[in-house]
Amino acid sequence: MLTEHHHHGGERRTVGFVGLGNMGGALAANLVGAGFQVVAHDAAGPARCPSGAQWAPGPADVARAADVVVLSLPDGAVCAKVVRELADAREGRVTHVVDTSTVGVVAARELAGLGPAYVDAPVSGGVAGARGRSLMVMYAGTDEDCARVEPVLAGLSDRGRRVGDRPGQAQALKLANNFLSATALAATSEAVAFGRAAGLDLAVMLEVLNVSSGRSGATAEKFPDEVLTGRYASGFSNTLMAKDVGLYLEESEALSGAAAVAAVTRAVWEAFAAAEPGADFTRIYPFTTGA
Ligand code: NAD
């Protein structure tokens, strides 16, 4: 990614931000830290507006202040509503939207047709990764559009990779990633329940799994950081994970047809999200054990 240079003497570069939830709040704070003038809005009000950012009462106010606007919103339908509001704002100046939300391939293609240039830029690495600037920003868009927004992407995180030239391609990679992450976490929960029932200690299981072939992000990070500690505070909800695996199942059935495991993974996450809507997604372990 391009290295961001601070302007000397000139006006601070302004960037818009809509969606200051668990992930968006951390990303907007990173932009402030990188020296941007951030003009930010969230439908829930100013409580999560990071210090140093300027609060905007609505998307139209963001559109009047910035030509590049970053989104961190729940799903494609909300993104479409907000992009329309940005595009239709009286005296708005938005030319580029950087969408860090997970919306799926189909929605990204639709969003790219709404007016402003659209760079599909979903993220992986969690809220802790966002705060530590190690979050992976995978992005796809035309040469011109990517070049225009790369300074903003560099403000979001130190890690980024352009994965394609068409919006939707980064979403495909993000959905593939979250399918793997969701499957590994659900499978690890069952494997740990099995080991515990046989009398094994959780910490000992993780120690051995993490130098054996069953290791994954679930054994290396989620179980040690959130389950073993009892924190269950990763900042990513089961509702959003159920959305992601649902999108993955739908789109993989349509595009590749290879979705036997995905059907099971989706059923497991839907059951968990229905039983405990909004719970931290790492609570799938106690859910699995019936605790
Ligand atoms: P969240 O639910 O914590 O935050 C979403 C925010 O959007 C909320 O603050 C909500 O008030 C706001 N919002 C909803 N509708 C709005 C509207 N019409 N206008 C303005 N604001 C609106 O969710 P999150 O965890 O921050 O996730 C945001 C996106 O990032 C999702 O697409 C998610 O899948 C993705 N994501 C999250 C994580 C994570 O670890 N939390 C990781 C990777 C990707």
Side-chain angles (χ1 to χ4, degrees), residues 18-25 41-44 48 59 72-75 78 81-82 85 100-103 123-127 135 174 178 234-237 240 243-244:
V18 182
L20 301 166
N22 288 322
M23 181 54 76
H41 171 72
D42 189 291
R48 277 176 164 172
S72 178
L73 294 164
D75 58 34
V78 175
K81 178 178 181 288
V82 169
E85 287 173 332
T100 68
S101 323
T102 305
V103 300
V123 298
S124 178
V127 174
L135 194 75
K174 170 63 182 170
N178 277 29
S234 75
F236 186 51
S237 71
L240 289 176
K243 167 203 68 171
D244 293 354

Side-chain angles (χ1 to χ4, degrees), residues 210-238:
N210 279 323
V211 288
S212 301
S213 51
R215 70 186 175 277
S216 67
T219 60
E221 285 144 30
K222 280 138 209 159
F223 264 79
D225 296 350
E226 309 297 339
V227 178
L228 192 57
T229 60
R231 288 187 345 122
Y232 297 110
S234 75
F236 186 51
S237 71
N238 59 357

Side-chain angles (χ1 to χ4, degrees), residues 99-173:
D99 196 355
T100 68
S101 323
T102 305
V103 300
V105 178
V106 173
R109 289 174 182 162
E110 286 169 7
L111 287 162
L114 292 182
Y118 181 83
V119 175
D120 163 26
V123 298
S124 178
V127 174
R131 294 205 180 104
R133 299 190 56 87
S134 64
L135 194 75
M136 183 65 200
V137 184
M138 51 200 95
Y139 60 101
T142 67
D143 289 355
E144 260 193 327
D145 295 340
C146 289
R148 173 67 186 89
V149 306
E150 271 163 356
V152 173
L153 297 176
L156 293 174
S157 178
D158 293 336
R159 206 172 270 171
R161 175 75 160 89
R162 186 176 176 207
V163 300
D165 56 13
R166 278 172 291 143
Q169 290 177 306
Q171 288 294 326
L173 187 44

Side-chain angles (χ1 to χ4, degrees), residues 182-192:
T183 303
L185 189 57
T188 302
S189 295
E190 292 186 8
V192 167

Side-chain angles (χ1 to χ4, degrees), residues 1 16 28 65 67 88 97 100 118 151 160 167 176 180 242 264 271 273:
M1 292 185 68
D67 47 12
D88 295 345
V97 169
T100 68
Y118 181 83
L180 292 172
V264 176

